[in-house]
Amino acid sequence: MNTQKQLLIIDDDPDYVAGIKSVLEKAEYSVDVAYNPKDGFLALQSKPYDLLLLDIMMGRGAEGVAVARKLRKDPKLRELPVLIITGIREQIAFLFPGQPVHPHFVELDELVEKPVEPKLLLEKVSALLKMSEEKKSQKKG
Amino acid sequence: MTIVITGYATVSSAVEAMKNGAYDFLPKPFTPDEFRMITQRGLDRRRLVLETILLRREKEMLRENFAAIVSHELKSPLGAVQQNLFGLEFELEDKLNEEQKEKIGRMKSKINDLINLIHTWLRVISVDVKKLQENFQPTSIPAVISKAVENVQPQAIRKDIEIVPTVQEPLSLINGDEGTLVEVVGNILGNGIKFSREGSKILIKAEEKDKNLTIIISDSGIGISKEDLPYIFEDFYTGDIGQIVEKSSGLGLAISKRIVEAHNGSISVESELGKGATFTICLPVQ
């Protein structure tokens, strides 16, 4: 049984979102969008998603980090795989120059930088979905 | 702001007073005018000092804010443009002819250059020396060198260039930041690779002498002309090499110099056109 995967994007730049939404939809994912953390949380509570695409830099600062932290605390959402899409490397680089950055906010997450090549985006999404499936079946078995 | 008023008026007592921090000296007896004049000068000076402190603080805030502003306000729209270009190319894959694909390729490339340029500018502005120094740790130079060599290995392999390290062990630890030092060494090695012929060698040596560690990186590439040599560590200087070399934003060495100096070290270069270049980084031991 292969149901269509449900993706949620939380990102405050509608122009940017348009760029990736079409790519994801062309690959037959169902995509919802929230343009701020608050709406994002409402969306997450409203239905079960298979993957979250999360922007770090929203609003005045790194509001995406707060979202990630909340996810970690919520037992229902903790297992949700998250693809962190960010233009933040330079910001983090200033604090930790010279080191590669992978924050690991939640258990299953990956990091891609804006802008992201469509092929890479789809690769990461499918890899995360696959890992998440494997984890779920491990638990059931 | 201290003005010394005394009945014991000699030049030597005036000098003594100034040595001990007085701004000015007013021997008795003095007229109201003299008093007003000296006091006014003192107040003016104090005002200037306060203004300087304020301006310095503003400059620092501006620098920090500028980085944040440029980062989000300039890079965000560019990122969105690029993302949509990517998306368009992806969607129209089967419908575009070769020429159209080429056009998109050119747009992507230019936008990518812009994004990288902004990125590099931010790095120059944001080498925050104080923050860097606050987080200094005992650092091993052999480790820095091996990490930097590892980072540039893919570039070196592509041009069939061999990097030969000679690290005199054991070396004392220095007080510093590994990440940025790896960046500096990597930057110089990268330049060496860029400007060297295929199949050549780049030597990197590390030795200790008189409480100083020196890292010497030498290549046998196209070298740097006498005219360019004095300016090579300045922001945006790309020189007038007159040969087709890979593009450079001219900022790598400027950033490297800032990082080395934040470590209380020095960086210098010797070179002759056509005869390669030798960079020397000198860092004080802990």
Side-chain angles (χ1 to χ4, degrees), chain A residues 48-97:
Chain A
Y49 284 100
D50 297 298
L51 183 121
L52 170 66
L53 293 101
L54 178 64
D55 178 27
I56 292 285
M57 295 297 285
M58 285 190 275
R60 290 251 179 94
E63 287 180 19
V65 176
V67 174
R69 289 214 185 100
K70 270 202 189 162
L71 285 178
R72 202 163 49 194
K73 292 194 187 143
D74 185 333
K76 268 184 289 163
L77 297 172
R78 190 180 293 149
E79 314 263 297
L80 183 67
V82 179
L83 182 62
I84 300 174
I85 313 178
T86 176
I88 201 185
R89 179 173 60 119
E90 69 279 4
Q91 232 86 352
I92 297 177
F94 299 154
L95 300 171
F96 313 107

Side-chain angles (χ1 to χ4, degrees), chain B residues 73-235:
Chain B
E73 303 299 319
L74 275 185
K75 276 191 81 176
S76 273
L78 269 178
V81 169
Q82 188 75 308
Q83 191 65 68
N84 277 277
L85 198 51
F86 284 168
L88 212 59
E89 188 188 37
F90 189 70
E91 281 170 61
L92 298 173
E93 226 172 350
D94 322 315
K95 305 197 182 88
L96 293 173
N97 64 38
E98 277 313 305
E99 269 181 22
Q100 290 166 331
K101 285 196 184 146
E102 238 182 11
K103 286 205 177 85
I104 292 192
R106 258 180 253 136
M107 283 195 274
K108 285 200 302 184
S109 163
K110 289 294 180 203
I111 297 178
N112 191 45
D113 288 346
L114 276 174
I115 293 178
N116 283 335
L117 189 59
I118 294 174
H119 193 98
T120 314
W121 279 346
L122 286 176
R123 291 289 288 127
V124 176
I125 292 175
S126 305
V127 175
D128 190 333
V129 169
K130 266 208 204 97
K131 249 192 220 143
L132 204 59
Q133 288 172 335
E134 279 167 20
N135 293 317
F136 273 179
Q137 308 253 347
T139 306
S140 147
I141 291 300
V144 165
I145 292 179
S146 90
K147 284 198 182 152
V149 171
E150 199 187 305
N151 286 346
V152 300
Q153 218 41 278
Q155 278 172 265
I157 290 176
R158 251 177 270 148
K159 280 181 91 167
D160 192 28
I161 290 176
E162 189 189 344
I163 301 178
V164 185
T166 320
V167 178
Q168 170 205 84
E169 300 236 40
L171 289 176
S172 306
L173 294 174
I174 61 145
N175 204 24
D177 175 82
E178 189 183 270
T180 45
L181 287 176
V182 168
E183 206 185 307
V184 170
V185 176
N187 181 244
I188 298 176
L189 285 172
N191 282 345
I193 295 171
K194 252 190 237 173
F195 299 117
S196 287
R197 284 166 274 268
E198 296 206 356
S200 54
K201 287 201 177 99
I202 297 179
L203 309 173
I204 174 164
K205 264 197 287 184
E207 41 193 42
E208 180 169 354
K209 194 167 149 204
D210 299 329
K211 294 241 160 198
N212 276 306
L213 285 187
T214 23
I215 305 173
I216 304 170
I217 302 168
S218 46
D219 66 67
S220 47
I222 60 180
I224 306 164
S225 75
K226 242 196 312 209
E227 290 78 41
D228 291 336
L229 215 49
Y231 306 106
I232 199 151
F233 291 107
E234 280 178 23
D235 294 356

Side-chain angles (χ1 to χ4, degrees), chain B residues 238-249:
Chain B
T238 51
D240 183 25
I241 298 179
Q243 294 184 28
I244 301 172
V245 286
E246 293 163 42
K247 266 191 304 181
S248 133
S249 69

Side-chain angles (χ1 to χ4, degrees), chain A residues 4 7 13 15 20 22 28 30-31 40 42 44 47 57 82 85 94 99 102 106-107 112 114 131 134 137 140:
Chain A
Q4 193 186 33
L7 270 47
D13 184 350
D15 292 315
I20 51 172
S22 57
E28 317 239 310
S30 156
V31 184
L42 290 173
L44 284 169
K47 74 190 220 208
M57 295 297 285
V82 179
I85 313 178
F94 299 154
Q99 284 168 23
H102 191 162
V106 294
E107 258 184 68
V112 284
K114 292 185 187 188
M131 279 197 277
E134 281 169 12
S137 57
K140 283 187 190 152

